[in-house]
Amino acid sequence: MSDILIDDCENPENSGRVSRPTLAQVKAIISFMEKHPDLAHRRLRVGMGHAKFKKLWLELSNIANSIDGTIKSTKGWIKFWSDKKRSIHIKKKQIEEGKLLGSLTALEQKIYDLCDAHPPITSRKKKIVKEEPCNGNDNESFDDELSNDYKQEENSRLNTSEVDERQLNMIDKLVVVMNQQSAALSQMAQATLTSSKALETIAEASHVQAIAVDRLANTFETINASFHDVRNAILGIDYTIKRCYPATASEQRQNSNIFS
């Protein structure tokens, strides 16, 4: 439940204590606002005088400061409530627009319901209440404080919307660029696959050629062996003829000598 708490401005009376409200203090504030819903939101303050408004906030400040946790001035608690309303409205809007997952916590939902209530319908005219000075300053009141907070809230919402829109545009551009890169990588992969198939075909053709060359080499080797055998046979015949021919010639000479 720590997300229900926010940091507050440093006050002199906060020395020695934590600077953010505790869960017990937040629950006490919500409980008080549920008893006084006209204090939760400016639109609900129909017919409430400034004196009553100031009295309720002083009472709420005393209750919150009496609980273990941070100590704030009345303006400090008003600022805490205004900041918390603004942050919850922004979170609720982001959830509704799908920019943020999840939902409001139970305490955040209570605060949102209190601040989102509609003012009651009344036929009586609103009394003009004289503004009283706040903390000795005649030019500043609790109404002015809340009015400034609402102006800041609207400006914050506008700035947040502009930032979110810019971020969405940047994300869309990044998605387009990533899609283009993905298409280019797909084309490169297809070209690589085609090149791989072509190289595989060339490798198969080279293998067939190597087998043919090997067979041709074996054929030439066989022919060479045959020529060698023929040569040996011819040499054998020649040797035999030369060996037998001299003996025949000598016999003929001997026979011729006998008859002479």
Side-chain angles (χ1 to χ4, degrees), residues 6 18 50 78 165 188 195:
I6 63 171
V18 294
H50 179 70
I78 292 176
E165 185 176 358
M188 290 178 61
S195 177

Side-chain angles (χ1 to χ4, degrees), residues 63-256:
I63 293 174
N65 290 331
S66 65
I67 301 174
D68 187 22
T70 186
I71 294 180
K72 296 179 181 291
S73 63
T74 303
K75 284 188 176 182
W77 287 113
I78 292 176
K79 185 178 186 302
F80 164 77
W81 182 252
S82 177
D83 292 342
K84 178 49 60 180
K85 289 188 300 181
R86 178 169 60 252
S87 63
I88 291 176
H89 275 85
I90 293 174
K91 182 178 179 180
K92 180 71 173 179
K93 183 178 179 181
Q94 291 177 344
I95 292 174
E96 291 176 350
E97 294 177 352
K99 299 178 182 178
L100 185 65
L101 299 178
S103 59
L104 297 178
T105 62
L107 292 180
E108 289 175 339
Q109 188 63 46
K110 285 184 179 181
I111 295 175
Y112 182 82
D113 293 338
L114 285 171
C115 299
D116 196 50
H118 298 285
I121 300 175
T122 178
S123 59
R124 294 185 302 174
K125 294 183 179 179
K126 185 177 179 180
K127 295 182 180 180
I128 299 176
V129 181
K130 182 180 179 181
E131 294 184 355
E132 297 180 2
C134 176
N135 291 340
N137 189 349
D138 295 336
N139 296 325
E140 189 180 47
S141 65
F142 289 105
D143 292 337
D144 295 334
E145 181 77 20
L146 291 179
S147 178
N148 293 332
D149 289 338
Y150 285 118
K151 290 180 181 179
Q152 293 177 0
E153 180 178 349
E154 293 298 328
N155 293 333
S156 177
R157 289 181 181 178
L158 292 176
N159 293 334
T160 303
S161 300
E162 292 177 357
V163 172
D164 292 341
E165 185 176 358
R166 291 178 182 176
Q167 290 179 349
L168 289 176
N169 291 334
M170 291 179 62
I171 292 174
D172 291 338
K173 292 180 180 179
L174 287 174
V175 170
V176 172
V177 173
M178 292 178 66
N179 288 335
Q180 293 176 353
Q181 291 180 349
S182 177
L185 291 175
S186 178
Q187 293 178 357
M188 290 178 61
Q190 187 66 28
T192 303
L193 179 61
T194 303
S195 177
S196 176
K197 290 182 178 179
L199 292 175
E200 184 178 358
T201 303
I202 293 174
E204 291 178 355
S206 299
H207 181 66
V208 172
Q209 289 179 353
I211 293 175
V213 171
D214 185 61
R215 290 178 179 177
L216 184 62
N218 291 333
T219 302
F220 279 114
E221 185 177 356
T222 303
I223 293 173
N224 186 25
S226 299
F227 275 115
H228 184 71
D229 293 339
V230 171
R231 175 179 172 279
N232 290 336
I234 293 173
L235 290 176
I237 293 171
D238 182 66
Y239 176 76
T240 303
I241 293 173
K242 288 181 179 180
R243 183 180 178 185
C244 295
Y245 179 75
T248 304
S250 61
E251 289 178 357
Q252 289 178 356
R253 285 195 296 270
Q254 289 177 1
N255 292 332
S256 62

